[in-house]
Amino acid sequence: MAESSTFIPYPGVQFEEEEMIRRSRDYYEFMNKRRSVRTFSDRPVPKEVIENILRTAGTAPSGAHKEPWTFCVVQDGELRKEVRRLAEEEEYRNYNGRMSDRWLKDLEPFGTDYIKPFIEVAAALIVVFKHSYTSDEAGKRANNYYVNESVGIAVGMMLAAVHNAGLVALTHTPSPMNFLEKALDRPPNEKAYLNIPIGYPAEGAEVPELTRKGPDKLIKWY
Ligand SMILES: Cc1cc2nc3c(=O)[nH]c(=O)nc-3n(C[C@H](O)[C@H](O)[C@H](O)COP(=O)(O)O)c2cc1C
């Protein structure tokens, strides 16, 4: 073991088998109720809740523990208006030429188009940035590893935390998303990864009906 390592006892949790079975089933059933929602209420969410959700995301594993992410919480009305304008510009081009016919057909069940009111309406917009490398105070570059995998896992944990708080989210990709780097004045090592409105669903919100792969297709046991 490297001499620079310091180890502490694992501070984790353990359950008896019966409790483990119950908890794993309950958690699956709870998570199976998560849905992407596209119509939001403007009802505010306490800052502490947003912070706890993002701190949960920040507990994610990452390559060599580089934590190659920043979660920007955008609530300012003027900034959101600008982000919406820029996002809709990209989305207009996506829906009118950049997306293939097959892609547009695949999107039909979701009833989406280039208009994205949720950017302004939802309680908060979480813009996630990945760090392709890290710069220290002196501007010296350090490598990050498995950045996409790490940030994807952190966002997954964030989405679970949103659901756990009884709120909803939408994973939104108004690609190309580099306008977000400029709009939020992020440093050059940060690349926009996902745009995720979170908050309460609009009253009477509906979601597309879908089924999920069952265990026979989802899992192969070896
Ligand atoms: C990487 C990624 C990008 C997505 N981009 C969009 C998007 O730009 N707009 C949108 O309305 N939904 C987007 N979605 C949401 C998916 O359509 C949604 O997750 C999928 O239909 C399954 O529905 P569910 O999340 O309710 O289970 C995206 C999801 C992922 C994981």
Side-chain angles (χ1 to χ4, degrees):
M1 200 169 294
E3 271 178 32
S4 60
S5 308
T6 306
F7 282 77
I8 58 164
Y10 168 59
V13 289
Q14 271 187 28
F15 304 103
E16 295 298 331
E17 201 169 286
E18 216 173 284
E19 171 76 349
M20 190 193 291
I21 291 168
R22 188 186 64 73
R23 288 177 64 99
S24 62
R25 187 192 49 231
D26 288 353
Y27 192 65
Y28 157 64
E29 285 170 0
F30 173 71
M31 286 309 296
N32 197 28
K33 295 198 178 96
R34 184 209 56 80
R35 291 302 313 272
S36 294
V37 170
R38 296 177 177 82
T39 48
F40 285 79
S41 151
D42 61 1
R43 183 173 164 193
V45 169
K47 185 175 179 198
E48 191 180 348
V49 173
I50 298 175
E51 192 167 303
N52 286 334
I53 286 167
L54 298 180
R55 290 182 78 185
T56 302
T59 67
S62 62
H65 190 52
K66 293 290 187 171
E67 304 174 280
W69 47 60
T70 305
F71 294 83
C72 294
V73 184
V74 188
Q75 291 180 298
D76 176 82
E78 280 307 306
L79 187 52
R80 275 151 58 116
K81 198 171 176 181
E82 178 64 0
V83 168
R84 178 177 175 186
R85 186 183 71 73
L86 295 165
E88 287 184 344
E89 242 173 61
E90 296 299 348
E91 292 285 41
Y92 182 85
R93 291 193 203 121
N94 290 336
Y95 281 88
N96 293 280
R98 277 205 295 232
M99 284 169 170
S100 64
D101 288 346
R102 179 175 292 188
W103 192 344
L104 290 171
K105 190 118 199 83
D106 281 340
L107 288 179
E108 267 172 23
F110 306 100
T112 54
D113 59 23
Y114 77 91
I115 297 169
K116 306 295 180 188
F118 53 74
I119 295 178
E120 286 190 87
V121 175
L125 205 58
I126 311 297
V127 188
V128 185
F129 291 89
K130 65 176 183 183
H131 298 196
S132 35
Y133 59 93
T134 300
S135 290
D136 66 16
E137 302 283 302
K140 196 165 166 279
R141 283 188 188 204
N143 289 343
N144 291 331
Y145 310 98
Y146 300 110
V147 170
N148 281 319
E149 292 83 347
S150 302
V151 184
I153 291 168
V155 168
M157 292 175 66
M158 173 192 146
L159 295 176
V162 167
H163 184 59
N164 182 58
L167 298 171
V168 295
L170 176 67
T171 312
H172 180 218
T173 39
S175 302
M177 296 194 282
N178 48 337
F179 69 88
L180 290 164
E181 294 146 27
K182 287 185 210 114
L184 302 190
D185 198 23
R186 301 311 304 161
N189 64 315
E190 295 193 15
K191 302 289 166 227
Y193 184 81
L194 286 170
N195 180 44
I196 309 182
I198 66 169
Y200 290 91
E203 213 175 300
E206 292 188 334
V207 292
E209 191 175 5
L210 53 71
T211 56
R212 293 182 163 131
K213 281 184 187 176
D216 51 331
K217 290 232 171 72
L218 177 71
I219 309 167
K220 297 292 167 201
W221 301 89
Y222 288 88

